[in-house]
Amino acid sequence: MVTFLPSRPGRLADVPSFARTIGGAESNVACALAAAGHAVKWVSRVGADGFGDHLIAAVAAYGVDTSGVRRDANRPTGIYFRTATDRATDAHEVLYYRAGSAASAMSPTNVPHEDLDGARVLHLSGITAALSPECLGLMRVLTARRAGRPLVSFDVNHRPGLWREDPAVLLDLARGADVVFVGEDEAEEAWGLRGAAAIRSALPEPAVLVVKQGARGALAYTRPARNPAAFEAGEAGHPGDTVTHVPAPRVDVVAAVGAGDAFAAGFLSATLRGLPVEARLRHGHLTAAATLTVAGDLGTPPPTAYADRLAALDDERWGTLHLGPGWTAADQAMEEVRTS
């Protein structure tokens, strides 16, 4: 979508102007992964309009292959407006203009499979499933377990303002994925599940389940595979989970929107590099911190070598990390990272 950010805090009715930028769960992940040096292709639909031109150009500027984006001459590009407040507060307002958009017309019949062939990872979002019955049908096809498919990553991304179906549908989609990201709070809101253990009991199928716990950190349930570094879909795991928890670093938050997408990108980047689960979680936190410390939906990830050094800190030093605006601007020496 094209995203409009407010020029100052306040109710949407009182904000006098907005700055145009880009947003969208899957495109956010694509941009962050490309910025981290991965080969990424974004598959979607946008209108044959100026906003569609802007979206394609802006996403491509991150190094993302946009050849899988189709233009729709009959439907507009989706847009949304939001306030500057945190999504978790009652003061937060967001207005989506996505009904009848080009993206909402995606279906199993108009998304060519050749756009997805050869991928190591296919990342999906529950937001897309909420856009229309056709989009939900596409998500059902893409999360169906079949031989030879890519590793399927699914971020639940429950949005009550968009979702018209029973949110249990999101649970069904998540069961078909190999890697699932879900917030502890959204699992309780959508499914009435309290706590990470209850979420894992309801989602035993994914080889990796990441439960995000806000400022407390994130917890990963992983089932060992025969080749953990490759992490290919369809590999049978062994019974039993390994549970890994990594606390989140202290972050001076500018805006929380997009942090979940950034976390997924950081985790997936580390997965593609074959890093251990603890390092994957730490890279997820670091990439999320890059977005938390900027006003828009997309932050600039830290240089890989710098992020690797931070992710390799011992538990004590990791626990003292304090990241503020501008912390990713340069490949700083370790001593330059503020601690408290």
Side-chain angles (χ1 to χ4, degrees):
M1 296 174 296
V2 170
T3 304
F4 288 92
L5 304 180
S7 58
R8 63 173 177 81
R11 301 183 311 150
L12 286 176
D14 301 326
V15 174
S17 60
F18 297 80
R20 183 191 65 178
T21 182
I22 63 172
E26 295 90 343
S27 59
N28 285 345
V29 173
C31 290
L33 282 169
H38 298 281
V40 185
K41 186 174 188 177
W42 177 45
V43 178
S44 188
R45 292 175 71 86
V46 300
D49 50 32
F51 285 153
D53 294 342
H54 171 64
L55 264 180
I56 291 176
V59 172
Y62 280 86
V64 176
D65 178 355
T66 59
S67 63
V69 180
R70 302 300 191 267
R71 308 301 294 267
D72 191 323
N74 299 313
R75 299 176 180 85
T77 302
I79 63 174
Y80 90 107
F81 296 79
R82 66 173 172 86
T83 54
T85 50
D86 191 301
R87 180 182 280 135
T89 69
D90 291 338
H92 181 74
E93 296 176 76
V94 58
L95 288 179
Y96 291 103
Y97 295 92
R98 303 180 82 168
S101 68
S104 73
M106 288 190 295
S107 74
T109 61
N110 65 14
V111 175
H113 282 281
E114 57 265 25
D115 284 333
L116 310 176
D117 289 345
R120 292 177 63 193
V121 174
L122 172 62
H123 181 71
L124 309 170
S125 166
I127 292 177
T128 297
L131 296 182
S132 68
E134 292 78 13
C135 282
L136 177 56
L138 175 63
M139 292 298 105
R140 289 191 188 280
V141 169
L142 296 178
T143 56
R145 295 190 180 274
R146 58 179 175 82
R149 76 174 191 179
L151 175 79
V152 174
S153 166
F154 182 75
D155 193 336
V156 171
N157 260 327
H158 178 239
R159 296 289 181 268
L162 284 175
W163 198 248
R164 298 293 180 263
E165 301 279 344
D166 181 346
V169 172
L170 291 172
L171 195 61
D172 292 338
L173 295 175
R175 288 185 175 125
D178 302 297
V179 179
V180 172
F181 301 94
V182 63
E184 207 168 47
D185 54 349
E186 69 177 335
E188 182 172 357
E189 180 180 30
W191 307 323
L193 299 172
R194 293 191 174 187
I199 298 169
R200 183 51 160 171
S201 293
L203 280 171
E205 296 88 353
V208 178
L209 171 66
V210 178
V211 180
K212 297 173 290 183
Q213 300 172 311
R216 288 182 293 141
L219 184 150
Y221 291 90
T222 55
R223 190 167 298 123
R226 290 192 297 270
N227 185 0
F231 230 80
E232 295 295 337
E235 285 197 339
H238 300 288
D241 279 325
T242 298
V243 183
T244 306
H245 179 266
V246 171
R250 182 180 171 190
V251 178
D252 296 334
V253 176
V254 174
V257 178
D261 302 328
F263 183 97
F267 188 93
L268 291 172
S269 174
T271 298
L272 287 165
R273 295 169 60 206
L275 300 184
V277 174
E278 182 181 36
R280 297 176 195 180
L281 289 168
R282 287 189 174 192
H283 277 277
H285 285 313
L286 291 169
T287 311
T291 291
L292 288 167
T293 49
V294 299
D297 287 20
L298 282 163
T300 301
T304 300
Y306 180 35
D308 282 343
R309 291 204 300 273
L310 293 179
L313 290 172
D314 60 41
D315 289 345
E316 181 179 357
R317 294 189 70 192
W318 174 264
T320 64
L321 277 182
H322 183 178
L323 307 172
W327 75 274
T328 66
D331 190 359
Q332 306 172 62
M334 294 298 294
E335 290 74 20
E336 291 180 293
V337 179
R338 289 191 295 130
T339 61
S340 63

